[in-house]
Amino acid sequence: MTDRYAVIGNPIGHSKSPLIHSAFAQATGQDIEYTAIEGPLDGFKATVEAFIAAGGRGMNVTIPFKLQAFEIATDPMESARLAGAVNALKFEGGRIHAQNFDGLGLVNDIQRNLGVSLAGKRVLICGAGGATRGAILPIAMQKPALIAIANRTADKAHGLKRDFAAHATLQTGGYDELVGERFDVVLNATSTGLSQADLPLAASAFAPGALAYELVYGKGLTPFLKQAQAAGVTRIADGVGMLVEQAAEAFEWWRGVRPDTQPVIARFTVPLV
Ligand code: ATR
């Protein structure tokens, strides 16, 4: 019997998840159906329950439901607990298991696909919202020399330092506090990739040979990537690889089979111009 999976969000029309998971299923010979569900803004829980009642086995969760998905989880894994947000659910024996694979997808893309090891590196994360929360633990596990978090609202960054104190040592503050500091890996986890706003990030923040990584995907050269290029950075990437890698983690969690991500990343990569 065909097992049913779906991505739920609102809006959801733009989601590439059905295409990605269908490609994984085809390549690995898994008999699944993966659809996109536009969840009503006031009816997330009811929609998930209806999907489970109809035999659904798992779901990906995207904006704006990642926090609500955490609330309905009966068994949140550590990745979800620390992020306070969920991007993958598994329905099994009346339980709702929850994971957040976004950060792991990011780390896998940086290390395996882009070939940049995080061990011993100085890493700067711009932004202190949900995307940053998901990224901190997987990055910390790679033992970088430093994880700095800069945010427009410095207090929000300081809040992360407190929340993650048991798991990671974070340097937190506003962008103006980065004066004179250089980083090997600079990640843009703010929403400026979507809004096309500039970040108040000094050109000097990029160390020679740095990687500049925009977590948003499919937006071409975002203001952050343009700032990096203007600062002389030649290694730039957007989040398409992160998207496919987090999907691969969910697929393996659900199906027990690891799909090859390379052909799918190649299919969805849009040149950064
Ligand atoms: P997400 O869940 O995608 O991380 P979020 O929780 O709304 O989204 O967080 C958005 C992040 O982008 C925040 O860190 C926000 O900074 P503030 O905490 O100061 O609001 C950051 N951000 C949004 N627009 C920005 C801008 N124009 N300049 C700098 N940072 C910006």
Side-chain angles (χ1 to χ4, degrees), residues 144-182:
L146 170 71
I147 303 177
I149 297 176
N151 197 43
R152 179 174 61 180
T153 314
D155 273 353
K156 221 163 127 188
H158 295 320
L160 291 179
K161 185 185 181 114
R162 288 190 293 274
D163 291 352
F164 283 84
H167 303 272
T169 306
L170 304 174
Q171 174 187 310
T172 53
Y175 293 96
D176 53 340
E177 293 170 63
L178 297 173
V179 177
E181 296 214 56
R182 291 173 158 221

mmCIF file of all heavy atoms in Angstrom, residues 144-182:
data_model
loop_
_atom_site.group_PDB
_atom_site.id
_atom_site.type_symbol
_atom_site.label_atom_id
_atom_site.label_comp_id
_atom_site.label_asym_id
_atom_site.label_seq_id
_atom_site.Cartn_x
_atom_site.Cartn_y
_atom_site.Cartn_z
ATOM 1 N N PRO A 144 33.385 24.109 16.200
ATOM 2 C CA PRO A 144 34.045 25.309 15.651
ATOM 3 C C PRO A 144 34.819 26.024 16.759
ATOM 4 O O PRO A 144 34.560 25.791 17.944
ATOM 5 C CB PRO A 144 32.859 26.167 15.169
ATOM 6 C CG PRO A 144 31.700 25.723 15.992
ATOM 7 C CD PRO A 144 31.929 24.267 16.322
ATOM 8 N N ALA A 145 35.769 26.897 16.368
ATOM 9 C CA ALA A 145 36.515 27.653 17.382
ATOM 10 C C ALA A 145 35.595 28.643 18.083
ATOM 11 O O ALA A 145 35.766 28.928 19.270
ATOM 12 C CB ALA A 145 37.678 28.400 16.709
ATOM 13 N N LEU A 146 34.620 29.180 17.329
ATOM 14 C CA LEU A 146 33.726 30.200 17.883
ATOM 15 C C LEU A 146 32.399 30.189 17.132
ATOM 16 O O LEU A 146 32.375 30.033 15.905
ATOM 17 C CB LEU A 146 34.373 31.593 17.709
ATOM 18 C CG LEU A 146 33.497 32.806 18.018
ATOM 19 C CD1 LEU A 146 33.245 32.938 19.510
ATOM 20 C CD2 LEU A 146 34.128 34.085 17.473
ATOM 21 N N ILE A 147 31.312 30.344 17.876
ATOM 22 C CA ILE A 147 30.020 30.650 17.245
ATOM 23 C C ILE A 147 29.599 32.015 17.775
ATOM 24 O O ILE A 147 29.362 32.178 18.974
ATOM 25 C CB ILE A 147 28.914 29.627 17.587
ATOM 26 C CG1 ILE A 147 29.332 28.211 17.202
ATOM 27 C CG2 ILE A 147 27.612 30.015 16.874
ATOM 28 C CD1 ILE A 147 28.291 27.144 17.600
ATOM 29 N N ALA A 148 29.560 32.985 16.883
ATOM 30 C CA ALA A 148 29.077 34.314 17.252
ATOM 31 C C ALA A 148 27.700 34.512 16.622
ATOM 32 O O ALA A 148 27.454 34.054 15.506
ATOM 33 C CB ALA A 148 30.036 35.388 16.746
ATOM 34 N N ILE A 149 26.819 35.165 17.362
ATOM 35 C CA ILE A 149 25.488 35.467 16.839
ATOM 36 C C ILE A 149 25.273 36.966 16.930
ATOM 37 O O ILE A 149 25.365 37.553 18.017
ATOM 38 C CB ILE A 149 24.394 34.718 17.626
ATOM 39 C CG1 ILE A 149 24.588 33.214 17.444
ATOM 40 C CG2 ILE A 149 22.999 35.147 17.156
ATOM 41 C CD1 ILE A 149 23.634 32.367 18.245
ATOM 42 N N ALA A 150 25.043 37.588 15.768
ATOM 43 C CA ALA A 150 24.775 39.022 15.741
ATOM 44 C C ALA A 150 23.326 39.231 15.350
ATOM 45 O O ALA A 150 22.815 38.560 14.440
ATOM 46 C CB ALA A 150 25.695 39.714 14.733
ATOM 47 N N ASN A 151 22.675 40.148 16.032
ATOM 48 C CA ASN A 151 21.280 40.416 15.686
ATOM 49 C C ASN A 151 20.979 41.894 15.817
ATOM 50 O O ASN A 151 21.582 42.595 16.641
ATOM 51 C CB ASN A 151 20.338 39.609 16.595
ATOM 52 C CG ASN A 151 18.933 39.531 16.020
ATOM 53 O OD1 ASN A 151 18.775 39.318 14.811
ATOM 54 N ND2 ASN A 151 17.928 39.698 16.849
ATOM 55 N N ARG A 152 20.051 42.350 14.955
ATOM 56 C CA ARG A 152 19.616 43.756 15.011
ATOM 57 C C ARG A 152 19.152 44.097 16.426
ATOM 58 O O ARG A 152 19.510 45.108 16.977
ATOM 59 C CB ARG A 152 18.477 43.935 13.987
ATOM 60 C CG ARG A 152 17.902 45.300 13.918
ATOM 61 C CD ARG A 152 16.913 45.383 12.786
ATOM 62 N NE ARG A 152 15.776 44.457 12.963
ATOM 63 C CZ ARG A 152 14.776 44.327 12.120
ATOM 64 N NH1 ARG A 152 14.761 45.050 11.005
ATOM 65 N NH2 ARG A 152 13.791 43.481 12.345
ATOM 66 N N THR A 153 18.358 43.181 17.006
ATOM 67 C CA THR A 153 17.932 43.340 18.393
ATOM 68 C C THR A 153 18.883 42.495 19.251
ATOM 69 O O THR A 153 18.708 41.277 19.360
ATOM 70 C CB THR A 153 16.481 42.838 18.565
ATOM 71 O OG1 THR A 153 15.689 43.361 17.485
ATOM 72 C CG2 THR A 153 15.885 43.259 19.886
ATOM 73 N N ALA A 154 19.901 43.147 19.827
ATOM 74 C CA ALA A 154 20.964 42.396 20.510
ATOM 75 C C ALA A 154 20.419 41.519 21.641
ATOM 76 O O ALA A 154 20.911 40.404 21.863
ATOM 77 C CB ALA A 154 22.019 43.362 21.048
ATOM 78 N N ASP A 155 19.392 41.986 22.323
ATOM 79 C CA ASP A 155 18.845 41.224 23.456
ATOM 80 C C ASP A 155 18.357 39.839 23.052
ATOM 81 O O ASP A 155 18.437 38.887 23.833
ATOM 82 C CB ASP A 155 17.682 41.995 24.107
ATOM 83 C CG ASP A 155 18.203 42.963 25.156
ATOM 84 O OD1 ASP A 155 19.417 42.908 25.428
ATOM 85 O OD2 ASP A 155 17.403 43.765 25.670
ATOM 86 N N LYS A 156 17.832 39.744 21.828
ATOM 87 C CA LYS A 156 17.341 38.449 21.353
ATOM 88 C C LYS A 156 18.515 37.476 21.184
ATOM 89 O O LYS A 156 18.403 36.287 21.467
ATOM 90 C CB LYS A 156 16.612 38.643 20.016
ATOM 91 C CG LYS A 156 15.353 37.832 19.900
ATOM 92 C CD LYS A 156 14.489 38.384 18.780
ATOM 93 C CE LYS A 156 14.102 37.314 17.796
ATOM 94 N NZ LYS A 156 13.427 37.854 16.609
ATOM 95 N N ALA A 157 19.644 37.993 20.751
ATOM 96 C CA ALA A 157 20.843 37.158 20.630
ATOM 97 C C ALA A 157 21.324 36.729 22.012
ATOM 98 O O ALA A 157 21.672 35.560 22.235
ATOM 99 C CB ALA A 157 21.945 37.926 19.893
ATOM 100 N N HIS A 158 21.296 37.663 22.964
ATOM 101 C CA HIS A 158 21.703 37.321 24.338
ATOM 102 C C HIS A 158 20.778 36.243 24.910
ATOM 103 O O HIS A 158 21.213 35.384 25.680
ATOM 104 C CB HIS A 158 21.675 38.558 25.232
ATOM 105 C CG HIS A 158 22.669 39.609 24.838
ATOM 106 N ND1 HIS A 158 23.945 39.309 24.413
ATOM 107 C CD2 HIS A 158 22.571 40.964 24.797
ATOM 108 C CE1 HIS A 158 24.592 40.429 24.129
ATOM 109 N NE2 HIS A 158 23.776 41.450 24.344
ATOM 110 N N GLY A 159 19.512 36.279 24.525
ATOM 111 C CA GLY A 159 18.558 35.262 24.986
ATOM 112 C C GLY A 159 18.971 33.874 24.523
ATOM 113 O O GLY A 159 18.862 32.885 25.262
ATOM 114 N N LEU A 160 19.481 33.797 23.300
ATOM 115 C CA LEU A 160 19.942 32.497 22.781
ATOM 116 C C LEU A 160 21.138 31.998 23.582
ATOM 117 O O LEU A 160 21.274 30.803 23.849
ATOM 118 C CB LEU A 160 20.324 32.614 21.302
ATOM 119 C CG LEU A 160 19.176 32.860 20.330
ATOM 120 C CD1 LEU A 160 19.711 32.975 18.907
ATOM 121 C CD2 LEU A 160 18.158 31.726 20.403
ATOM 122 N N LYS A 161 22.011 32.935 23.949
ATOM 123 C CA LYS A 161 23.191 32.553 24.749
ATOM 124 C C LYS A 161 22.738 31.860 26.045
ATOM 125 O O LYS A 161 23.288 30.831 26.436
ATOM 126 C CB LYS A 161 23.993 33.815 25.075
ATOM 127 C CG LYS A 161 25.292 33.569 25.788
ATOM 128 C CD LYS A 161 25.898 34.916 26.157
ATOM 129 C CE LYS A 161 27.202 34.760 26.852
ATOM 130 N NZ LYS A 161 28.328 35.266 26.084
ATOM 131 N N ARG A 162 21.711 32.425 26.673
ATOM 132 C CA ARG A 162 21.184 31.821 27.911
ATOM 133 C C ARG A 162 20.509 30.472 27.618
ATOM 134 O O ARG A 162 20.781 29.470 28.288
ATOM 135 C CB ARG A 162 20.169 32.771 28.564
ATOM 136 C CG ARG A 162 20.797 33.992 29.200
ATOM 137 C CD ARG A 162 19.789 34.749 30.033
ATOM 138 N NE ARG A 162 18.715 35.357 29.231
ATOM 139 C CZ ARG A 162 18.791 36.550 28.654
ATOM 140 N NH1 ARG A 162 19.876 37.285 28.790
ATOM 141 N NH2 ARG A 162 17.789 37.040 27.953
ATOM 142 N N ASP A 163 19.671 30.440 26.593
ATOM 143 C CA ASP A 163 18.903 29.220 26.295
ATOM 144 C C ASP A 163 19.811 28.035 25.963
ATOM 145 O O ASP A 163 19.465 26.894 26.231
ATOM 146 C CB ASP A 163 17.948 29.451 25.113
ATOM 147 C CG ASP A 163 16.817 30.394 25.481
ATOM 148 O OD1 ASP A 163 16.699 30.740 26.676
ATOM 149 O OD2 ASP A 163 16.064 30.793 24.574
ATOM 150 N N PHE A 164 20.932 28.329 25.310
ATOM 151 C CA PHE A 164 21.798 27.243 24.847
ATOM 152 C C PHE A 164 23.025 27.035 25.738
ATOM 153 O O PHE A 164 23.935 26.303 25.375
ATOM 154 C CB PHE A 164 22.235 27.503 23.394
ATOM 155 C CG PHE A 164 21.155 27.203 22.390
ATOM 156 C CD1 PHE A 164 20.178 28.133 22.088
ATOM 157 C CD2 PHE A 164 21.102 25.965 21.758
ATOM 158 C CE1 PHE A 164 19.174 27.847 21.171
ATOM 159 C CE2 PHE A 164 20.104 25.671 20.839
ATOM 160 C CZ PHE A 164 19.138 26.618 20.551
ATOM 161 N N ALA A 165 23.029 27.678 26.901
ATOM 162 C CA ALA A 165 24.232 27.671 27.751
ATOM 163 C C ALA A 165 24.735 26.261 28.056
ATOM 164 O O ALA A 165 25.939 26.023 28.131
ATOM 165 C CB ALA A 165 23.952 28.428 29.043
ATOM 166 N N ALA A 166 23.833 25.312 28.189
ATOM 167 C CA ALA A 166 24.249 23.949 28.544
ATOM 168 C C ALA A 166 24.842 23.201 27.350
ATOM 169 O O ALA A 166 25.447 22.139 27.515
ATOM 170 C CB ALA A 166 23.047 23.168 29.082
ATOM 171 N N HIS A 167 24.668 23.735 26.154
ATOM 172 C CA HIS A 167 25.042 23.000 24.942
ATOM 173 C C HIS A 167 26.122 23.672 24.101
ATOM 174 O O HIS A 167 26.824 23.022 23.350
ATOM 175 C CB HIS A 167 23.811 22.795 24.055
ATOM 176 C CG HIS A 167 22.704 22.097 24.761
ATOM 177 N ND1 HIS A 167 22.605 20.731 24.798
ATOM 178 C CD2 HIS A 167 21.676 22.567 25.480
ATOM 179 C CE1 HIS A 167 21.548 20.395 25.510
ATOM 180 N NE2 HIS A 167 20.966 21.484 25.938
ATOM 181 N N ALA A 168 26.219 25.001 24.201
ATOM 182 C CA ALA A 168 27.170 25.714 23.346
ATOM 183 C C ALA A 168 27.574 27.027 24.009
ATOM 184 O O ALA A 168 26.775 27.630 24.726
ATOM 185 C CB ALA A 168 26.522 26.012 21.992
ATOM 186 N N THR A 169 28.823 27.430 23.774
ATOM 187 C CA THR A 169 29.274 28.736 24.250
ATOM 188 C C THR A 169 29.110 29.708 23.099
ATOM 189 O O THR A 169 29.754 29.557 22.052
ATOM 190 C CB THR A 169 30.749 28.668 24.683
ATOM 191 O OG1 THR A 169 30.868 27.603 25.631
ATOM 192 C CG2 THR A 169 31.195 29.965 25.320
ATOM 193 N N LEU A 170 28.259 30.674 23.273
ATOM 194 C CA LEU A 170 27.962 31.602 22.191
ATOM 195 C C LEU A 170 28.454 32.999 22.535
ATOM 196 O O LEU A 170 28.379 33.429 23.689
ATOM 197 C CB LEU A 170 26.446 31.662 21.937
ATOM 198 C CG LEU A 170 25.748 30.337 21.626
ATOM 199 C CD1 LEU A 170 24.238 30.542 21.555
ATOM 200 C CD2 LEU A 170 26.270 29.764 20.307
ATOM 201 N N GLN A 171 28.964 33.694 21.508
ATOM 202 C CA GLN A 171 29.283 35.118 21.651
ATOM 203 C C GLN A 171 28.130 35.870 21.003
ATOM 204 O O GLN A 171 27.846 35.641 19.819
ATOM 205 C CB GLN A 171 30.601 35.419 20.943
ATOM 206 C CG GLN A 171 30.947 36.906 20.900
ATOM 207 C CD GLN A 171 32.166 37.164 20.036
ATOM 208 O OE1 GLN A 171 33.196 36.518 20.187
ATOM 209 N NE2 GLN A 171 32.046 38.116 19.115
ATOM 210 N N THR A 172 27.449 36.707 21.748
ATOM 211 C CA THR A 172 26.240 37.328 21.196
ATOM 212 C C THR A 172 26.282 38.842 21.318
ATOM 213 O O THR A 172 26.911 39.392 22.232
ATOM 214 C CB THR A 172 24.987 36.804 21.926
ATOM 215 O OG1 THR A 172 25.160 36.985 23.353
ATOM 216 C CG2 THR A 172 24.767 35.337 21.652
ATOM 217 N N GLY A 173 25.589 39.522 20.408
ATOM 218 C CA GLY A 173 25.517 40.980 20.470
ATOM 219 C C GLY A 173 24.935 41.575 19.217
ATOM 220 O O GLY A 173 24.370 40.861 18.375
ATOM 221 N N GLY A 174 25.090 42.887 19.091
ATOM 222 C CA GLY A 174 24.630 43.591 17.895
ATOM 223 C C GLY A 174 25.717 43.572 16.825
ATOM 224 O O GLY A 174 26.859 43.188 17.096
ATOM 225 N N TYR A 175 25.370 44.004 15.615
ATOM 226 C CA TYR A 175 26.349 43.996 14.514
ATOM 227 C C TYR A 175 27.514 44.950 14.805
ATOM 228 O O TYR A 175 28.651 44.695 14.409
ATOM 229 C CB TYR A 175 25.669 44.374 13.197
ATOM 230 C CG TYR A 175 24.675 43.334 12.740
ATOM 231 C CD1 TYR A 175 23.320 43.449 13.025
ATOM 232 C CD2 TYR A 175 25.096 42.205 12.043
ATOM 233 C CE1 TYR A 175 22.409 42.482 12.628
ATOM 234 C CE2 TYR A 175 24.195 41.217 11.639
ATOM 235 C CZ TYR A 175 22.852 41.371 11.938
ATOM 236 O OH TYR A 175 21.959 40.406 11.559
ATOM 237 N N ASP A 176 27.235 46.048 15.520
ATOM 238 C CA ASP A 176 28.288 47.027 15.803
ATOM 239 C C ASP A 176 29.353 46.468 16.751
ATOM 240 O O ASP A 176 30.467 46.985 16.813
ATOM 241 C CB ASP A 176 27.674 48.315 16.388
ATOM 242 C CG ASP A 176 26.780 48.032 17.584
ATOM 243 O OD1 ASP A 176 26.329 46.877 17.737
ATOM 244 O OD2 ASP A 176 26.544 48.963 18.378
ATOM 245 N N GLU A 177 29.005 45.399 17.453
ATOM 246 C CA GLU A 177 29.982 44.819 18.392
ATOM 247 C C GLU A 177 30.986 43.896 17.695
ATOM 248 O O GLU A 177 31.867 43.325 18.333
ATOM 249 C CB GLU A 177 29.255 44.042 19.494
ATOM 250 C CG GLU A 177 28.427 44.953 20.410
ATOM 251 C CD GLU A 177 27.523 44.164 21.336
ATOM 252 O OE1 GLU A 177 28.049 43.413 22.170
ATOM 253 O OE2 GLU A 177 26.293 44.306 21.209
ATOM 254 N N LEU A 178 30.828 43.715 16.382
ATOM 255 C CA LEU A 178 31.718 42.803 15.648
ATOM 256 C C LEU A 178 32.963 43.511 15.126
ATOM 257 O O LEU A 178 33.779 42.889 14.449
ATOM 258 C CB LEU A 178 30.981 42.176 14.460
ATOM 259 C CG LEU A 178 29.772 41.295 14.793
ATOM 260 C CD1 LEU A 178 29.053 40.903 13.506
ATOM 261 C CD2 LEU A 178 30.222 40.053 15.551
ATOM 262 N N VAL A 179 33.094 44.799 15.421
ATOM 263 C CA VAL A 179 34.207 45.597 14.883
ATOM 264 C C VAL A 179 35.546 44.880 15.095
ATOM 265 O O VAL A 179 35.861 44.456 16.208
ATOM 266 C CB VAL A 179 34.247 46.994 15.555
ATOM 267 C CG1 VAL A 179 35.443 47.793 15.062
ATOM 268 C CG2 VAL A 179 32.961 47.740 15.266
ATOM 269 N N GLY A 180 36.278 44.720 14.002
ATOM 270 C CA GLY A 180 37.609 44.118 14.092
ATOM 271 C C GLY A 180 37.606 42.595 14.084
ATOM 272 O O GLY A 180 38.662 41.977 14.061
ATOM 273 N N GLU A 181 36.424 41.982 14.107
ATOM 274 C CA GLU A 181 36.373 40.512 14.118
ATOM 275 C C GLU A 181 36.175 39.974 12.704
ATOM 276 O O GLU A 181 35.450 40.560 11.900
ATOM 277 C CB GLU A 181 35.213 40.046 15.002
ATOM 278 C CG GLU A 181 35.412 40.443 16.446
ATOM 279 C CD GLU A 181 34.840 39.396 17.370
ATOM 280 O OE1 GLU A 181 35.243 38.227 17.261
ATOM 281 O OE2 GLU A 181 33.984 39.779 18.169
ATOM 282 N N ARG A 182 36.828 38.817 12.447
ATOM 283 C CA ARG A 182 36.715 38.194 11.124
ATOM 284 C C ARG A 182 36.228 36.772 11.277
ATOM 285 O O ARG A 182 36.593 36.092 12.241
ATOM 286 C CB ARG A 182 38.083 38.155 10.444
ATOM 287 C CG ARG A 182 38.568 39.507 10.070
ATOM 288 C CD ARG A 182 40.003 39.423 9.566
ATOM 289 N NE ARG A 182 40.266 40.585 8.756
ATOM 290 C CZ ARG A 182 40.956 40.565 7.620
ATOM 291 N NH1 ARG A 182 41.467 39.441 7.180
ATOM 292 N NH2 ARG A 182 41.130 41.673 6.947
#
